[in-house]
Amino acid sequence: MRLLVTANHTPFIAGGADYHVNGLVDALRQHGHQAELLRLPFHYGEAEIERLMAFTEGLDLRRVNDVDIDRVISLQFPGYGVNHPDHVVWLMHQHRACYELYDPNNASPALAALKPKVEAYDRHHLAKASRRYANSPRVAERLREYNGLAAQPLYHPPHRPERFTCAADWGYIFYPSRLEPLKRQALLIEAAAHLTTPVKLLIAGDGSQRHTLEAMIETLGVEDRVRLLGRISEAEKLTLYAHALAVAFPPFDEDYGYVTLEAMLSAKPVISCTDSGGPTAFIEPGESGWITSPTPEALAAACDAAWQDRRRTAEMGQAARAVYAGLDIGWEAVIETLLSS
Amino acid sequence: MSESQQTELEALVNRLRDAAATLDAEQPPIAPPIGDWRRQLLALREGLSAPDPLLDPRRPELAELLAWDRDAEAFLATLYRYLLGREIDPEGRDYYLGILPELGRLQVAALLADSQESREHCRHQGVELPAGLRRVIAAANRAGRLDRRYLPVQRLLTRLLALVTRWRRRDWRHEASLARLLAQRATWEQERRELITAVLEMDDRQNQFGQRQDHEYARQRSLWEQLAVLRKRTASGATSPSALSTAPPTHPATAQSVASAPPESPLGAGMDEELDAYYLAFEAAFRGPEADIASHLDHYRDAWTRARQAGERALDLGCGRGEWLRLLQRAGFAPRGIDLNATMVAHCREQGFDVAHQDALAALRECEAGSQALISGFHIAEHLPFESLFQLVAEAYRALVPGGVLILETPNPENLIVASYSFYHDLTHRHPLTPPTLQFLLRFHGFGDTAIRRFNPPPEQTRVPGEGPVVERLNAMLAAPMDYAVVGTKPMAGEEERQP
């Protein structure tokens, strides 16, 4: 099959999305298809976004330079607006600023003006898709909630899942993520002040919040509890997962979240929050992790619980690994689903 | 409290960084992304349905275009493909099939070749029409416009061309078949080359998978061993030490590098591992730290210098913690080690040495004759029953290249304390070997130059003070070097062999 995959391009900002997009194209090629990636330059700013929407809508990909395209697979806003009769959408996320992150009290007039346009765009183009899949149950839920459209969740594996292992727990809770407000490392640091057991918190990653979080650790006087590890290597990441007591993942309304899956692969229970979105679909509270209210006290209680009964915590980790194994997550299944007719 | 906890946190982070560093070195070989072979094979599959090729699409032969070895439809399809550069459409086919019986192939070919579309295609692609066809076109043009075919001159031309066709048709058919065969042969050769390349690439990948599988097997094996120990610990009800205690870190990667298929043990995996661990500790306590041994090994400088001239492959039997391997590596050898102790093997592999978990005799038997420049066994001879030692020397002789060197080091029973006491520290020792016995064994198997080297005199205070024959005699027995080695060289071709 001759396939075009559409996605966005934000120069020099690498993240999970890149891995997802490239992973899909690689997998398609490995299955013997001719697949190419069409990346649309995505710039923040309402005017830019509106221009890109109009441009994308105008693209006809049925036949490009006399070459027939058999199917288009779109992953992101606004790529799913391109025209093709056989258009499969596997939605990573919509333009979040206009949906779950939209706050009518603080929105700028430009954003307020953009919101109905984006909604109309999504309703129109996503409804037209020949089939709709979502990155995660949470993304599907949002699509139903905001646009009244159904989508089937379709999972893909994190990068090279076979590398994750479980080793003896060294008594700390691990949280790897970019240091950004939505990831809410701050919540975990505040929780450190409420801990009653000697459990430690190791936070890996870098980002805009680094200085804020460092200052926070100092103000709260929890230097003996929490450590910001900065950017870590892959080997360090694997080791940190392997020896963790549990993994904390308390972001705000995450789409999918590789952290949950990586923790499960490493046989570690996950501590997440009720409003964390993606992760909550994978965690069975009390069986393979904890889902607490998004408060420092509740998070601290979960961390203490993990420390107090470490045998039980290890069992929960094994349960998490079993859940992952049962989900049959792999590129094979993804390709089969996306290319079924 | 806070101060000590912060250092605890520091220690934890450092410990994790160390563990991660070992993991870095332990990464299994990763197969590169799938190569071009899949695309190559897919392209070949597409090519299966490709139309008949021309010998040279830029200079088609008249016979190839007339295609008398094919039916009328195939003839028209060929003309379209090579003169117009596209597949025939149904209208065109019906039209030309209609006029073909009347005009004949030659004239239809000329008609098509002279069309606007064909002239453009040929100019663009640099296609040169065959001379015969050009003459027909010229003749037809002289006769008037080709499509006004009811003109009498026109009819004359048609009849003439039919005549030529009747006369030449047989030859054209043969020429067309031959050209087609030759063109197909060229295509097949090209495809064969591509297939071979693809198969080779797949084979390469297969090898990578094989390596990866070996690695995974070793890893799995070590995980089983770890599991056995853990089960045993759980069964005996021992509690695990506090995760943050300052106990030396147990490297998670240590056991990952254990070799494949160690011999089955009647004692069970847990007991084996404990015995291995005992031996490692024993080595450290009784043979001295790694650094001391390394300086002792330096005594063999002349032996390895000689061996290095015979080649660079070296095999160390019972390599232990790998001190000798390190030395050989520095001396420019490509050393390999074997050891029966899985913990030692893991220890060596962690340092990046090529070490297998294997029995010494088996390892020697696997060596090709004349493949090794240096074979060494430090303190293994005294562990072996005589039959095994006998075969070991025989196999070592076979495996050595002429000029290669065998070193067997063992405790020296000339020293009375060694012979009667310290030899028995190690409960796996069998009996002391005297220097003349070991030397004789090497000579018997054909080693030419065999030398006895004595090392490690006991501390000065062991000596009986004073002078005189009795004191001297006593000191010869009490203060003789504690270890010795027989260093044998395999004679070069032409030198006398077997001189027991």
Side-chain angles (χ1 to χ4, degrees):
Chain A
M1 260 185 150
R2 211 178 268 133
L3 299 150
L4 264 188
V5 175
T6 78
N8 289 343
H9 184 218
T10 48
F12 306 108
I13 301 179
D18 283 302
Y19 157 69
H20 184 170
V21 170
N22 293 325
L24 173 62
V25 174
D26 287 347
L28 286 169
R29 287 183 182 154
Q30 291 193 3
H31 281 74
H33 298 284
Q34 288 175 284
E36 287 197 17
L37 182 57
L38 176 71
R39 303 196 85 162
L40 303 162
F42 191 89
H43 297 223
Y44 292 106
E46 288 76 8
E48 292 278 1
I49 289 171
E50 213 170 317
R51 245 197 310 278
L52 185 60
M53 280 160 61
F55 171 78
T56 310
E57 277 181 313
L59 283 178
D60 187 345
L61 299 181
R62 266 171 291 201
R63 193 174 160 84
V64 183
N65 292 328
D66 285 344
V67 175
D68 286 317
I69 310 292
D70 296 321
R71 182 172 290 181
V72 172
I73 300 173
S74 289
L75 297 170
Q76 288 171 313
F77 167 84
Y80 42 71
V82 301
N83 293 294
H84 195 282
D86 191 352
H87 194 169
V88 175
V89 175
W90 182 21
L91 192 61
M92 233 185 247
H93 53 73
Q94 295 169 270
H95 188 51
R96 301 186 63 189
C98 292
Y99 290 101
E100 71 275 10
L101 302 182
Y102 185 78
D103 176 2
N105 301 321
N106 290 326
S108 68
L111 183 62
L114 181 68
K115 183 174 157 64
K117 291 177 189 158
V118 169
E119 284 169 342
Y121 183 95
D122 284 2
R123 258 198 311 279
H124 178 62
H125 292 293
L126 287 172
K128 265 197 330 195
S130 38
R131 269 172 306 140
R132 276 182 304 274
Y133 298 96
N135 206 15
S136 74
R138 178 62 193 138
V139 172
E141 197 181 313
R142 286 188 207 135
L143 192 62
R144 191 169 47 246
E145 191 182 323
Y146 295 113
N147 307 84
L149 292 169
Q152 186 193 331
L154 174 61
Y155 303 140
H156 67 286
H159 183 48
R160 295 190 48 216
E162 75 285 355
R163 300 169 305 157
F164 293 87
T165 54
C166 178
D169 93 68
W170 287 354
Y172 61 88
I173 287 168
F174 180 45
Y175 181 17
S177 217
R178 279 177 296 121
L179 305 183
E180 298 299 339
L182 278 180
K183 305 292 181 188
R184 292 202 300 209
Q185 281 89 355
L187 202 55
L188 195 63
I189 292 171
E190 281 178 61
H194 298 278
L195 291 171
T196 56
T197 61
V199 65
K200 306 280 183 286
L201 306 174
L202 297 182
I203 297 174
D206 204 352
S208 64
Q209 298 300 297
R210 172 142 207 153
H211 297 299
T212 317
L213 295 175
E214 271 167 0
M216 197 168 164
I217 291 173
E218 212 180 307
T219 318
L220 290 172
V222 288
E223 298 96 329
D224 54 344
R225 293 300 200 144
V226 189
R227 178 61 59 93
L228 295 182
L229 299 173
R231 200 179 285 272
I232 54 170
S233 71
E234 280 291 297
E236 283 172 331
K237 184 173 95 177
L238 295 174
T239 310
L240 280 154
Y241 269 121
H243 289 290
L245 172 66
V247 169
F249 193 35
F252 174 72
D253 207 354
E254 182 78 26
D255 306 318
Y256 183 46
Y258 291 125
V259 174
T260 324
L261 302 174
E262 290 172 348
M264 291 164 90
L265 282 164
S266 310
K268 304 295 172 185
V270 181
I271 302 172
S272 191
C273 295
T274 46
D275 60 354
S276 288
T280 56
F282 295 96
I283 304 166
E284 181 65 35
E287 296 298 320
S288 62
W290 293 263
I291 299 181
T292 75
S293 60
T295 61
E297 295 82 3
L299 268 183
C303 296
D304 282 335
W307 171 275
Q308 272 151 4
D309 192 349
R310 290 165 77 163
R311 180 165 292 210
R312 174 74 195 131
T313 303
E315 280 170 15
M316 288 167 80
Q318 291 303 331
R321 188 165 182 124
V323 170
Y324 184 95
L327 288 172
D328 190 25
I329 300 179
W331 284 111
E332 290 283 332
V334 169
I335 300 301
E336 200 178 307
T337 308
L338 289 179
L339 295 190
S340 62
S341 42
Chain B
M1 168 71 190
S2 172
E3 187 68 17
S4 79
Q5 274 212 349
Q6 198 174 348
T7 38
E8 219 174 67
L9 192 58
E10 201 74 48
L12 172 64
V13 171
N14 288 338
R15 196 173 159 196
L16 281 160
R17 291 242 154 88
D18 283 351
T22 21
L23 192 66
D24 259 339
E26 277 294 320
Q27 283 300 302
I30 295 165
I34 284 185
D36 267 346
W37 51 267
R38 192 190 285 276
R39 250 152 281 160
Q40 232 168 43
L41 288 176
L42 285 169
L44 283 178
R45 191 176 64 185
E46 304 258 300
L48 282 183
S49 55
D52 295 329
L54 295 190
L55 256 184
D56 180 356
R58 287 168 163 230
R59 291 166 185 276
E61 295 287 333
L62 184 59
E64 283 179 302
L65 290 179
L66 295 179
W68 278 111
D69 59 333
R70 291 278 196 268
D71 63 14
E73 281 193 30
F75 156 70
L76 290 174
T78 305
L79 287 185
Y80 263 72
R81 194 171 301 129
Y82 295 105
L83 295 184
L84 306 186
R86 63 181 170 97
E87 294 305 307
I88 192 163
D89 51 279
E91 296 82 43
R93 190 184 54 223
D94 292 346
Y95 171 71
Y96 285 107
L97 277 178
I99 62 170
L100 188 58
E102 195 185 332
L103 297 185
R105 289 193 184 189
L106 253 178
Q107 208 167 344
V108 167
L111 202 61
L112 255 166
D114 201 37
S115 69
Q116 178 76 17
E117 190 181 350
S118 164
R119 280 200 303 260
E120 262 175 35
H121 173 75
C122 292
R123 196 175 55 240
H124 252 271
Q125 303 295 321
V127 177
E128 198 177 304
L129 292 179
L133 193 58
R134 282 208 305 272
R135 274 202 296 277
V136 176
I137 293 170
N141 281 339
R142 267 202 299 280
R145 286 176 47 116
L146 275 170
D147 49 357
R148 291 166 59 198
R149 56 187 188 271
Y150 292 107
L151 290 172
V153 192
Q154 186 67 51
R155 276 205 293 278
L156 202 65
L157 178 71
T158 306
R159 227 175 297 149
L160 181 68
L161 291 178
L163 211 63
V164 173
T165 300
R166 206 169 308 142
W167 174 50
R168 290 273 294 150
R169 190 172 146 175
R170 234 175 103 87
D171 292 344
W172 279 335
R173 188 169 66 228
H174 288 155
E175 277 174 43
S177 307
L178 183 64
R180 221 181 289 291
L181 277 177
L182 289 175
Q184 270 170 351
R185 199 184 63 173
T187 317
W188 285 339
E189 269 174 13
Q190 170 69 22
E191 287 179 354
R192 207 174 64 127
R193 264 197 297 278
E194 281 168 21
L195 271 176
I196 291 173
T197 315
V199 170
L200 282 176
E201 225 180 290
M202 287 162 81
D203 181 56
D204 203 36
R205 200 168 166 78
Q206 176 71 28
N207 276 338
Q208 284 158 350
F209 280 138
Q211 276 176 28
R212 171 98 198 198
Q213 197 180 14
D214 288 348
H215 182 94
E216 291 305 330
Y217 180 70
R219 192 172 132 95
Q220 193 186 29
R221 179 94 213 168
S222 77
L223 288 173
W224 283 338
E225 283 171 22
Q226 275 179 308
L227 187 66
V229 173
L230 287 175
R231 281 218 180 104
K232 218 170 148 244
R233 232 181 256 163
T234 321
S236 62
T239 49
S240 57
S242 158
L244 292 170
S245 72
T246 47
T250 46
H251 284 289
T254 302
Q256 282 186 4
S257 50
V258 175
S260 55
E264 290 301 320
S265 159
L267 297 171
M271 188 63 193
D272 260 3
E273 174 150 329
E274 292 203 353
L275 280 179
D276 284 356
Y278 165 79
Y279 215 80
L280 193 69
F282 173 83
E283 284 271 276
F286 284 82
R287 281 199 72 193
E290 283 166 73
D292 289 3
I293 293 194
S295 68
H296 159 60
L297 292 174
D298 204 46
H299 291 134
Y300 291 99
R301 183 174 290 277
D302 62 328
W304 85 62
T305 313
R306 198 146 26 91
R308 184 68 186 80
Q309 285 159 15
E312 60 168 30
R313 292 179 63 184
L315 177 65
D316 189 26
L317 308 170
C319 60
R321 291 171 294 178
E323 306 94 335
W324 179 244
L325 295 178
R326 179 178 308 280
L327 202 145
L328 289 180
Q329 205 167 47
R330 285 201 199 119
F333 284 91
R336 229 169 67 77
I338 60 105
D339 206 299
L340 271 179
N341 185 318
T343 312
M344 303 266 196
V345 171
H347 182 81
C348 287
R349 288 195 174 178
E350 258 175 58
Q351 301 172 71
F353 293 122
D354 178 9
V355 171
H357 189 201
Q358 208 180 9
D359 169 58
L361 257 180
L364 281 172
R365 286 191 179 125
E366 275 175 20
C367 288
E368 273 176 48
S371 61
Q372 307 292 320
L374 180 59
I375 296 174
S376 47
F378 292 95
H379 294 259
I380 58 156
E382 67 274 20
H383 292 265
L384 301 175
F386 178 65
E387 301 88 277
S388 301
L389 180 60
F390 184 87
Q391 287 174 48
L392 184 142
V393 175
E395 286 295 334
Y397 184 85
R398 187 188 62 82
L400 280 172
V401 67
V405 175
L406 171 69
I407 300 174
L408 286 178
E409 187 187 288
T410 186
N412 183 8
E414 288 170 342
N415 180 314
L416 214 55
I417 307 293
V418 169
S420 64
Y421 172 68
S422 63
F423 183 85
Y424 297 100
H425 283 328
D426 187 338
L427 298 171
T428 58
H429 280 179
R430 298 180 83 89
H431 43 72
L433 297 157
T434 63
T437 308
L438 200 55
Q439 187 178 33
F440 181 81
L441 185 60
L442 262 69
R443 284 193 180 156
F444 177 83
H445 282 291
F447 284 93
D449 174 25
T450 53
I452 297 175
R453 309 278 315 274
R454 294 175 173 82
F455 314 102
N456 298 343
E460 198 52 38
Q461 58 268 30
T462 320
R463 283 183 164 276
V464 178
E467 282 181 358
V470 178
V471 172
E472 258 181 45
R473 188 76 186 275
L474 266 177
N475 279 336
M477 290 192 286
L478 292 176
M482 298 188 292
D483 295 304
Y484 79 95
V486 177
V487 180
T489 308
K490 182 170 176 172
M492 304 296 276
E495 280 181 44
E496 197 189 340
E497 294 191 17
R498 295 244 167 206
Q499 36 176 272

